[in-house]
Amino acid sequence: MSFDAAYEALTDHDDDARWAYGTGFADPLAGVDDTVPDGVDRGELAAYCLMLGDDALIMSHRLQQWVTRAPELEDELALANIALDLLGQARLLLTRAAEVEDAGRDEDALAYLRDAADFRNVRLVERADADFAHLVARLLVFATWRLALLDRLTTSADPVLAAIGAKGVKEVTYHRDYAAQWVVRLGDGTELSHDRMQAAADEVMPLVDELFRPHPTELRLVAAAVAVDPSTLRSEFDAVWGQVLTAATLRTVGAAPGASGHPTAGVPVEEAGVPVEETGVPVEETGVPAATGPLAGSGRDGAHTAALTDILAELQSVARSMPGGVW
């Protein structure tokens, strides 16, 4: 691909295999056999692709909301790139879902024209982050879990899912490392940063168990060697999570106050003299219930927090206001 002037790349739309601003890229699934494996139910394969695709799409949108809000320009770029990686994964997975279900929908229809109850993402990705510590805690949980899942997905009997898994492993490895470095930096920093990081780690934990509860659709596809049983990922997740928290001098939920060795570890934020930061995100809009017990229902079955409705109102606004619009 060559242009006489650089700006011609911005206006040439004949080549679909390019980003909007003219940056060429290779199709990551070029040459991959897209035949549905024998004996695999097409509806269940489509539903599984929606689960993984919706996880990536909604998490990507939440990360995009932090652009212009991160503490440093370097982190603005890092979060934007992580969001783009997840958006790319979402596109591949939603495209696969649309192809397999063969119902006349494409990736755009699945992303922009479904209501909240039709989304199948875990509720972890819906949460709005009260501050940067909450963001990196949630990103560490998500990336650690997703990396373990994608790594096992590379052996899927579905060639498309296997290729998506192989591509995603390279991306999410960086996502996990980026989040882990910030958790350690904040946890093992000042008393203020430590207490904020401890509060964030504690508050994300009620959302973790859902990640490892297998859905019946997943289990049927596991039997067909297509999907990953999320319950098998828990030990790896716990090991990584525990290692990072130890390095960050943070306690895990249930540990005694001060158990990590930091002078204020385990001390409630209000008792440690930590001021409440004005974040612009009301607690009631974070999508996290006040109770710390297990959340009822499952995002995999369409049971979501009110936060998802707000996300979709923003994410889908242009597509719904201009049906069939092309730009």
Side-chain angles (χ1 to χ4, degrees):
M1 178 176 64
S2 62
F3 294 92
D4 293 333
Y7 291 123
E8 291 181 26
L10 300 178
T11 58
D12 185 287
H13 303 293
D14 293 332
D15 183 1
D16 289 335
R18 292 192 290 108
W19 292 105
Y21 296 107
T23 303
F25 67 96
D27 180 357
L29 300 182
V32 175
D33 181 11
D34 62 0
T35 304
V36 175
D38 291 339
V40 174
D41 182 271
R42 298 180 72 93
E44 294 197 333
L45 178 56
Y48 186 60
C49 291
L50 282 180
M51 293 176 187
L52 303 185
D54 289 348
D55 290 339
L57 179 65
I58 303 304
M59 188 65 176
S60 173
H61 189 77
R62 277 302 192 202
L63 289 169
Q64 293 168 43
Q65 293 176 329
W66 271 88
V67 174
T68 75
R69 295 177 58 201
E72 300 287 348
L73 179 59
E74 181 180 356
D75 294 297
E76 302 269 356
L77 296 174
L79 293 173
N81 279 310
I82 292 171
L84 283 173
D85 285 342
L86 293 175
L87 182 60
Q89 292 176 24
R91 292 192 62 189
L92 294 173
L93 288 159
L94 295 184
T95 295
R96 181 57 169 167
E99 290 174 346
V100 170
E101 73 170 9
D102 195 22
R105 299 191 290 183
D106 60 10
E107 60 172 298
D108 286 340
L110 292 174
Y112 299 127
L113 302 180
R114 285 182 296 153
D115 294 329
D118 297 320
F119 274 71
R120 294 296 178 259
N121 56 276
V122 293
R123 285 169 291 188
L124 171 74
V125 300
E126 302 168 11
R127 172 179 170 160
D129 301 297
D131 57 25
F132 190 70
H134 284 77
L135 170 68
V136 293
R138 190 167 63 94
L139 179 58
L140 178 60
V141 169
F142 177 78
T144 301
W145 165 70
R146 192 169 180 88
L147 179 57
L149 189 156
L150 291 174
D151 183 54
R152 289 158 177 79
L153 199 64
T154 59
T155 61
S156 172
D158 178 47
V160 176
L161 285 180
I164 292 172
K167 179 178 183 294
V169 162
K170 301 173 185 177
E171 298 168 340
V172 181
T173 296
Y174 166 71
H175 304 176
R176 187 187 69 176
D177 290 349
Y178 171 83
Q181 289 174 21
W182 264 111
V183 169
V184 172
R185 185 182 304 178
L186 294 176
D188 197 27
T190 66
E191 289 190 11
L192 174 61
S193 71
H194 173 90
D195 290 322
R196 288 194 180 281
M197 195 65 251
Q198 184 65 70
D202 290 347
E203 290 178 26
V204 78
M205 289 310 294
L207 297 167
V208 169
D209 285 346
E210 181 188 12
L211 306 180
F212 304 100
R213 292 201 299 263
H215 189 274
T217 295
E218 290 175 304
L219 292 178
R220 286 190 289 269
L221 290 175
V222 167
V226 168
V228 176
D229 180 352
S231 66
T232 64
L233 310 177
R234 188 64 193 250
S235 60
E236 180 177 339
F237 171 87
D238 287 344
V240 173
W241 179 253
Q243 182 179 10
V244 174
L245 261 60
T246 297
T249 69
L250 300 172
R251 60 169 172 76
T252 57
V253 173
S260 68
H262 193 282
T264 59
V267 178
V269 172
E270 58 274 18
E271 295 180 13
V274 179
V276 177
E277 179 182 20
E278 177 55 53
T279 64
V281 183
V283 173
E284 61 271 18
E285 294 181 10
T286 63
V288 181
T292 58
L295 299 178
S298 170
R300 297 302 195 211
D301 290 317
H304 298 289
T305 65
L308 181 61
T309 300
D310 295 336
I311 292 170
L312 296 181
E314 182 177 83
L315 186 153
Q316 300 177 336
S317 59
V318 174
R320 286 181 178 263
S321 65
M322 301 179 64
V326 177
W327 53 87

